[in-house]
Amino acid sequence: MTDRIVLAYSGGLDTSVAIGWIAEATGQEVVAVAVDVGQGGESLETVRQRALDCGAVEAYVADARDEFADQYCMPTLKANGLYMDSYPLVSAISRPVITKHLVAAAQQFGASTVAHGCTGKGNDQVRFEVGIQTLGPELKCIAPVRDLALTRELAIEYAEKHDLPIETTKKNPFSIDQNVWGRAVETGFLEDIWNGPTKDVYDYTEDPSFPPAPDVVNITFDQGVPVALDGQTVTALEAIEQLNRRAGAQGIGRIDIVEDRLVGIKSREIYEAPGAMALIAAHRELENITLEREQARFKKTVDQRWTELVYDGQWFSPLKRNLDAFIDETQKYVSGEIRLELHGGRATVQGRRSETSLYDFSLATYDAGDAFDQSSARGFIDIFGLSSKVASQREQRIHGKPDFSGLGSLDR
Ligand code: ARG
């Protein structure tokens, strides 16, 4: 039996050409794998048929939308995952779920190699291949664009010559990757980082400068994940989809950053993630009232490390798993409701309510009913500041005055 290669197939020009290109270069049969992570566009059936028409011996398609929402987007929400404080990991979290299906397909169809359409300059090649090595250590990897000199020009030429059922004239100036968690746009005139994004860059969001009337949404969370919107029960996927529409209509979640890729390049990216950004804003505020102070402070560090690991393609790594366990444990009491106002590019928290809140009105109030014993504050402050005071007394002893270096002219 000839050896087989499974290919991560999007249905677009490059991966459609890659089917024949890889088969010719390696003499092996190609199995196309298409995974729906909520990217929209053509149906899986259309994509499946095109793969077969382009020469794939088999086509494996999977509707992974709920799997992606439940097992990849929700952990990202629990971690408030924002790379460089801005990017909600849109592409970074879709690679591991696609990888899982690639490895499953390789096993099902007896393939020894996995192929993907990434270039040699980005993060995604790393995410796919590190994931494949981890889930299927016996598998080899190949990337036709990177390893078999498949350029855009050659792809167009090949598609026309072989009469492949794929559009070759439609010229999109951008490289786009999208799923239900968001949309990433790069290249073209955006590579000049002084250029502002034009209207045609955006698809998930409306222009926030001319918003419709404010939209107030009540989000109910159970242990860190959304379970209802305005009192209506939703799945994680439905929560993201509905908030993509509502927050998208208000222009929420547009992000423009120059980011540090794992491979050492700084690159300009435009993202749109209306649902994700609204959910993260709500989730963060619910954590503010339900996590104990030290837990919250420490979790910030864990969240950041988790986010960097995921960005860097370490989704299946032992440390990422350990941090998941920590984060999951912190979510035990992150339940309750957040009222968010969506308007003009911003998701603003207006109210919070939780049975498991640590906010204690009788401790916080300055009005009647104050239960906080203010007299204990004095002793607390004396002891809390003692080590600094003792150090300052040493300065007095040695230099005749306290050390204000760096503070300038206090002893003027
Ligand atoms: N820079 C982002 C990341 O590494 C997005 C890359 C998405 N790919 C694309 N062709 N736009 O996660």
Side-chain angles (χ1 to χ4, degrees):
M1 187 174 118
T2 42
D3 203 354
R4 289 175 155 186
I5 296 183
V6 295
L7 166 69
Y9 182 66
S10 71
L13 173 66
D14 301 83
T15 52
S16 291
V17 168
I19 295 172
W21 194 270
I22 294 172
E24 284 173 23
T26 62
Q28 297 180 20
E29 292 176 346
V30 175
V31 176
V33 173
V35 183
D36 186 354
V37 286
Q39 63 269 42
E42 300 175 318
S43 75
L44 277 180
E45 188 42 42
T46 306
V47 172
R48 207 183 80 83
Q49 195 52 51
R50 180 167 314 123
L52 296 172
D53 293 344
C54 288
V57 290
E58 305 268 5
Y60 166 116
V61 296
D63 177 355
R65 288 175 302 163
D66 281 303
E67 179 186 7
F68 179 57
D70 293 335
Q71 296 172 37
Y72 298 81
C73 302
M74 291 304 104
T76 305
L77 177 61
K78 291 180 192 173
N80 301 310
L82 294 173
Y83 181 65
M84 294 174 75
D85 300 326
S86 314
Y87 163 44
L89 298 173
V90 172
S91 303
I93 58 173
S94 77
R95 304 317 175 192
V97 67
I98 297 170
T99 297
K100 245 180 94 178
H101 286 277
L102 287 167
V103 172
Q107 272 150 13
Q108 184 178 330
F109 294 104
S112 64
T113 304
V114 177
H116 59 76
C118 304
T119 72
K121 290 176 73 168
N123 299 313
D124 288 330
Q125 54 172 342
V126 182
R127 296 168 182 153
F128 277 127
E129 294 184 31
V130 169
I132 290 160
Q133 278 172 20
T134 312
L135 299 184
E138 68 291 346
L139 295 170
K140 296 186 290 281
C141 294
I142 188 169
V145 175
R146 181 191 65 191
D147 307 327
L148 302 174
L150 177 58
T151 61
R152 185 33 80 109
E153 290 70 38
L154 287 172
I156 294 173
E157 203 178 284
Y158 186 99
E160 281 166 358
K161 187 165 146 229
H162 293 81
D163 212 11
L164 298 185
I166 179 89
E167 182 92 60
T168 55
T169 46
K170 208 168 69 204
K171 256 193 75 169
N172 192 320
F174 308 117
S175 165
I176 298 168
D177 180 49
Q178 64 188 47
N179 58 55
V180 74
W181 199 238
R183 186 165 174 271
V185 186
E186 57 185 33
T187 73
F189 75 90
L190 295 170
E191 285 174 354
D192 179 339
I193 61 177
W194 183 249
N195 285 339
T198 46
K199 285 190 187 318
D200 60 323
V201 169
Y202 298 107
D203 185 40
Y204 284 14
T205 54
E206 298 298 328
D207 186 344
S209 323
F210 308 99
D215 180 8
V216 175
V217 59
N218 223 333
I219 309 177
T220 309
F221 287 87
D222 182 36
Q223 304 203 340
V225 303
V227 292
L229 294 182
D230 295 326
Q232 299 280 98
T233 303
V234 286
T235 63
L237 178 65
E238 288 164 350
I240 304 165
E241 285 175 341
Q242 288 181 25
L243 286 168
N244 274 342
R245 279 195 292 278
R246 290 172 69 172
Q250 296 283 349
I252 290 163
R254 291 187 170 185
I255 299 146
D256 177 348
I257 60 165
V258 174
E259 85 192 21
D260 280 308
R261 284 190 191 165
L262 176 58
V263 297
I265 299 170
K266 285 191 187 290
S267 74
R268 167 53 156 343
E269 304 279 346
I270 303 291
Y271 299 108
E272 304 178 89
M277 295 307 282
L279 282 167
I280 290 172
H283 177 261
R284 272 188 160 160
E285 182 60 11
L286 191 57
E287 284 193 334
N288 285 346
I289 65 165
T290 54
L291 297 189
E292 179 271 337
R293 182 190 62 209
E294 295 309 313
Q295 202 184 8
R297 289 179 177 176
F298 189 71
K299 181 170 180 288
K300 255 186 113 127
T301 318
V302 175
D303 286 348
Q304 190 181 343
R305 194 70 194 95
W306 187 96
T307 298
E308 287 164 358
L309 285 168
V310 170
Y311 183 88
D312 289 347
Q314 301 292 320
W315 182 272
F316 299 106
S317 74
L319 179 57
K320 146 77 172 46
R321 231 184 357 255
N322 298 156
L323 299 187
D324 275 333
F326 172 85
I327 292 170
D328 274 336
E329 164 70 18
T330 65
Q331 300 300 291
K332 197 154 106 195
Y333 295 120
V334 184
S335 303
E337 274 175 81
I338 295 291
R339 193 171 75 251
L340 264 191
E341 184 190 71
L342 311 173
H343 191 236
R346 286 154 47 114
T348 313
V349 174
Q350 289 191 330
R352 47 305 252 167
R353 171 155 80 185
S354 166
E355 302 273 311
T356 45
S357 163
L358 297 173
Y359 177 80
D360 185 335
F361 180 84
S362 62
L363 286 177
T365 187
Y366 284 94
D367 297 339
D370 184 359
F372 184 79
D373 178 3
Q374 299 205 29
S375 68
S376 41
R378 287 183 73 120
F380 166 73
I381 295 164
D382 282 344
I383 294 174
F384 188 69
L386 187 60
S387 67
S388 274
K389 186 170 164 186
V390 170
S392 174
Q393 285 164 343
R394 177 179 60 189
E395 297 299 324
Q396 296 266 21
R397 235 175 23 246
I398 296 172
H399 302 295
K401 58 177 195 259
D403 178 14
F404 286 125
S405 54
L407 282 184
S409 52
L410 272 176
D411 56 344
R412 182 168 31 180

